Amino acid sequence: MFQKIWNTLLHGESRTKRFLISVIGLGLATVGCLVAAIITHSPLFWIASVAAGLITAAVTRDTVLVVSKDNTVKKVPGKKAAAGRTGGGSPPEQEKEEEKEGKRGKKEKEAPDREEAGKKETERKESGRQKEDGKKPGRQETGEKESGRQKADEKKPDRQKADRKESGREEAGEKEPDRQKADRKKAGKKRTDRKKTRRQEAEEVLEREEADEEELGEDALANMTESKLKNLLVRYKVKQEHVPVIIDLCVSERVKQCPGFAWVVGGSLKILLVESKPRLIERPCHALQVLEVERGIAVRASNEYTSLRKTELMNLMFTPYLPRYHQKTIGGRTVLLKNLYVLDGDMKFSSGSVNGLRKLLPLRIEINDRRMQEQEAGSYSKELFLTSFLWQDSILSLKDYQKEVEQVLESMAAADISYNEFEKELSEMIRSGLLPAEYRKFAYAKREERKAEKEDGKGKKKGRKERRA
């Protein structure tokens, strides 16, 4: 209140200032008269102080400004306002502001009363509806729906606030550009995909091992059945174009006399080894071009593929892919021998696995024979030697062997060599046992045919030259 009076004295109108100064002066005069009457005990000062007090009371009774409890300025009827809340401005503007503030105060006071009245009315309506719902059960659902709508309406302001906050952030530039967001999302997806693929591979390996242990037990070969074998092939994603193989020995993979299934996928040769615990090995195809023959390995029949013969199913399935055994007498004793075919340096396959591997890969078979090197045999003799060797090792059938022999003899008959050289090499093949004697007539007949074709070709050329001449 004193602050408002002070502001009015500083910034108010001259008329208002005079009024306040007169009021203050009367108040000070009254106080001075009282002090003088107390000190001097003179009745005149007492009368003067009483008169000044009455005048001051009469003047201040009809004061223009009254400060209410809620710090709002109200206009007293019958008088003009002396000053506004801040003490400045013209009287009409101040009156308008005071009227507005008075209305606002009334509304604020009346607002809680209205809310209470509205709540009471809604409660009365709901109580009346509940009574009617007790009679009609169909109205209970509508009441529940209306209460749900009221709750949703109460939550609407909070949602609106949240929407306004988000819109404000967007306008302030707190959100990143769309392109950067999309790039980050793509990078995050790629990382998660890589992690997922690695985790999936590791999980697949663990699942396979656990499934193999649960289904096959400690020894897969001993407990193998048709259904278990099918599940195993599905679990390791073996292709339909697979071939059964037998790895006789592989030091790098610690494999010995183990059956398996081979297939090619993604430029790699994969082999599922059916051991006590099945596992998968893999080699790149570009390194697999040659099968080298390792000949004459002495073995004992009792030590050959004992684990494979434990179950009837595996024995029947892989018996055609076992090595071909040969008997040979050395020093009066009969020795059992087998030949192995080496792939990629140390993977030694049985002879029964060669045809399957050649279906998957374009492999070339190479054999080193000391006798052929010492005799300095020709290329045709070496080809016949390899053909007869593969036939004896059951890699080539009889029909395939005959076709291979005929092709070698036809190429030999068509070669640009003399008749003496042809006859000498043919006789050496028969003498060494590379070529059966019945093929001698076939070889000479092919030689005569080629000779006749050459002479006919020469005669035709001469006739053309004579005609041109």
Side-chain angles (χ1 to χ4, degrees), residues 73-277:
V73 179
K74 296 182 180 180
K75 185 179 178 183
V76 178
K79 296 289 181 178
K80 291 184 179 180
R85 293 182 69 180
T86 57
S90 60
E93 292 177 356
Q94 291 175 1
E95 289 175 2
K96 289 179 181 179
E97 290 179 358
E98 289 171 1
E99 288 177 0
K100 288 180 182 179
E101 289 177 355
K103 289 178 181 179
R104 287 176 187 172
K106 287 180 181 179
K107 287 180 180 179
E108 289 177 358
K109 285 182 179 181
E110 291 174 358
D113 296 335
R114 290 177 182 175
E115 290 179 358
E116 290 179 359
K119 287 181 181 179
K120 288 179 180 179
E121 287 179 1
T122 53
E123 287 177 358
R124 288 173 185 174
K125 289 179 180 179
E126 287 177 357
S127 62
R129 288 176 183 174
Q130 287 177 0
K131 289 178 181 179
E132 291 178 357
D133 293 338
K135 297 177 181 179
K136 297 181 180 181
R139 294 184 180 178
Q140 291 179 359
E141 295 179 358
T142 56
E144 290 175 358
K145 288 181 180 178
E146 288 178 357
S147 62
R149 289 175 184 173
Q150 289 176 0
K151 290 179 181 178
D153 293 334
E154 289 176 359
K155 291 180 180 179
K156 278 183 182 179
D158 298 332
R159 292 178 183 174
Q160 291 176 357
K161 287 180 182 179
D163 295 336
R164 288 174 184 173
K165 286 181 181 179
E166 289 180 358
S167 62
R169 288 176 185 173
E170 289 176 356
E171 290 175 359
E174 293 181 2
K175 289 193 174 181
E176 296 179 350
D178 296 336
R179 290 183 181 177
Q180 293 180 0
K181 244 187 173 181
D183 295 337
R184 287 186 180 181
K185 284 182 179 179
K186 287 180 181 178
K189 285 180 180 179
K190 287 180 181 179
R191 290 174 186 171
T192 52
D193 292 338
R194 289 174 186 172
K195 290 179 181 178
K196 284 180 180 178
T197 52
R198 291 175 184 173
R199 289 176 184 174
Q200 285 175 357
E201 288 177 358
E203 288 175 358
E204 284 178 1
V205 173
L206 291 173
E207 287 177 0
R208 287 171 186 170
E209 291 178 355
E210 291 175 358
D212 294 339
E213 288 179 359
E214 290 178 0
E215 188 174 358
L216 303 175
E218 295 181 357
D219 195 346
L221 290 173
N223 300 323
M224 188 62 70
T225 60
E226 288 186 10
S227 60
K228 291 179 180 179
L229 182 60
K230 286 180 182 178
N231 294 334
L232 187 67
L233 297 178
V234 171
R235 196 176 299 124
Y236 282 88
K237 300 178 181 178
V238 179
K239 279 193 168 184
Q240 291 182 352
E241 296 80 12
H242 69 273
V243 293
V245 294
I246 293 177
I247 298 178
D248 191 88
L249 184 65
C250 182
V251 178
S252 63
E253 299 290 347
R254 297 181 181 180
V255 179
K256 185 177 181 181
Q257 297 181 356
C258 178
F261 300 94
W263 70 98
V264 175
V265 61
S268 298
L269 176 68
K270 293 188 177 183
I271 303 174
L272 173 61
L273 301 176
V274 187
E275 298 177 310
S276 57
K277 289 185 178 179

Side-chain angles (χ1 to χ4, degrees), residues 449-460:
E449 286 179 6
R450 295 297 180 184
K451 187 177 179 181
E453 288 177 358
K454 287 180 181 179
E455 288 177 356
D456 291 341
K458 289 178 181 179
K460 288 179 181 179

Side-chain angles (χ1 to χ4, degrees), residues 377-392:
S379 59
Y380 302 108
S381 297
K382 289 180 180 179
E383 288 182 15
L384 277 179
F385 177 76
L386 179 59
T387 302
S388 61
F389 179 84
L390 297 177
W391 175 56
Q392 291 172 7

